[in-house]
Amino acid sequence: VAAARAQGTTVFDNIRRLRIKESDRVAATCEQLNAIGVKTETTEDTMTIYGIDNENIDSVTLSSYNDHRMAMCAIMICAGLNCDVDIDDITCVNKSFPELQEIVRREMMP
């Protein structure tokens, strides 16, 4: 998520093991970032993220992939956006951070 906000290009190496977690976290991260207009490329063991050029988004729908870490990733992606956001099955964060939903509501919602 930080790489998406950075200027330029970021390359992550040795990411192969991220494909075999609760979800394919490489593909899921790329799908989430693509949904907000961030260009990504992958190989079997690398992920390249090109810093965001345009943040003019009216609304975005992101998936949690029923994976607590991907749900938290979606929340972080949305934190920097000024738009309507929908994240499916956000309750899966309860596996590792049950207080997160309340913190987000308290800190980020008007």
Side-chain angles (χ1 to χ4, degrees):
V1 174
R5 301 272 183 231
Q7 294 291 324
T9 303
T10 304
V11 179
F12 295 94
D13 292 316
N14 301 313
I15 62 167
R16 182 173 307 152
R17 64 183 176 77
L18 296 175
R19 295 184 182 279
I20 56 171
K21 300 296 183 174
E22 287 91 338
S23 67
D24 179 339
R25 292 182 178 157
V26 175
T29 299
C30 289
E31 287 175 20
Q32 288 179 336
L33 293 176
N34 293 162
I36 65 163
V38 175
K39 182 181 175 196
T40 61
E41 293 178 353
T42 63
T43 67
E44 184 176 326
D45 206 27
T46 65
M47 176 171 47
T48 303
I49 300 174
Y50 299 91
I52 194 166
D53 289 328
N54 184 0
E55 293 190 33
N56 296 324
I57 301 168
D58 294 326
S59 66
V60 64
T61 300
L62 299 174
S63 177
S64 68
Y65 304 89
N66 196 33
D67 179 337
H68 60 122
R69 294 187 191 274
M70 293 314 305
M72 289 186 275
C73 181
I75 289 169
M76 295 307 299
I77 288 170
C78 296
L81 299 175
N82 187 21
C83 70
D84 293 331
V85 175
D86 181 35
I87 303 171
D88 73 344
D89 191 25
I90 198 69
T91 60
C92 67
V93 299
N94 294 341
K95 177 178 181 178
S96 59
F97 195 168
E99 305 85 13
L100 181 61
Q101 291 180 80
E102 182 55 38
I103 292 168
V104 169
R105 281 187 196 93
R106 184 177 64 240
E107 301 297 327
M108 298 176 65
M109 302 293 208

